[in-house]
Amino acid sequence: SSPAHAVLGADLVSFSWDFEGGYRAIASAVQLGPSDPVALNAYAWYLLLVGRNEEALAITERLQRVAPFDTFYRGVCVRNFAWARQYERALEEVERIRERGGSFASAEAAKSYLELGRPEDAHRVWVAMYDQCGRPCERLREAAEAGWQESGWTGFLHAQAEFAAANSVASSTASPVLLAELYVAIGDVEEAFRWLERGYATRDSHMVRLRHPDFDPLRSDPHFQDLIRRVGIPEG
């Protein structure tokens, strides 16, 4: 079935770093179900991973048409627009979700607010994500809020990074790549690369997202380009 092919393709990419096999499975999913939102979601995601942003935006617009009232897929559209650096369009999707009585908070929504010069709104979204996480995130939320009170957005990021780094060894589910993104945001390139190398060594599934805009500050660094090559992320 179309959804089964889409899930297989996403798994091949994320866990085996098999972009060729993943693409074949996802392309089959779209061929079997050209209006299947699961397939369209997987295809747009793959296109973003390999830097084919314009094509990903076209698929995202198809996704908007086939699932106009589904909050999950509207959230996917927020992710896709933010990843393609279309931050205003991402926030338009957030507003559409809210207009229909839904609530939505994601890192991509927070990033969109931040890129448009609205750190208070970015902070609000992060707090909402911690609230949704509940008890497992309580200590992280407290640490981050203390950082916010001390020095605003910079303190918020520093506190998150320090807490996550201190607790990453104890948590086998912590992603080194997501922690690296925090260090990129606070400008600690050396620490970001240290965590990216750990992500590579442990085959963190998030290594496939190295073309995410969070990593734009590292884009021209030969070390970063070498990581993209080693993971095997295709060029466009």
Side-chain angles (χ1 to χ4, degrees), residues 24-110:
R24 286 198 301 268
I26 291 169
S28 295
V30 176
Q31 186 174 19
L32 288 168
S35 296
D36 175 18
V38 177
L40 294 176
N41 175 21
Y43 191 33
W45 170 77
Y46 176 87
L47 292 170
L48 291 167
L49 293 183
V50 301
R52 292 161 61 180
N53 290 355
E54 290 303 317
E55 293 172 77
L57 290 174
I59 297 299
T60 300
E61 289 162 4
R62 282 173 60 183
L63 185 58
Q64 287 177 309
R65 292 193 292 271
V66 303
F69 305 114
D70 189 303
T71 299
F72 173 79
Y73 289 111
R74 302 310 290 205
V76 166
C77 293
V78 173
R79 177 202 69 189
N80 294 358
F81 286 132
W83 194 314
R85 300 159 184 81
Q86 301 283 316
Y87 300 114
E88 291 183 355
R89 294 183 74 182
L91 294 181
E92 287 171 4
E93 287 298 301
V94 173
E95 289 306 312
R96 289 191 182 99
I97 293 170
R98 290 175 179 160
E99 286 169 4
R100 296 191 176 98
S103 61
F104 181 79
S106 73
E108 285 80 10

Side-chain angles (χ1 to χ4, degrees), residues 117-133:
R118 299 166 62 179
E120 292 82 5
D121 287 320
H123 167 253
R124 174 179 52 79
V125 170
W126 269 105
V127 171
M129 286 193 289
Y130 288 143
D131 289 343
Q132 290 173 3
C133 175

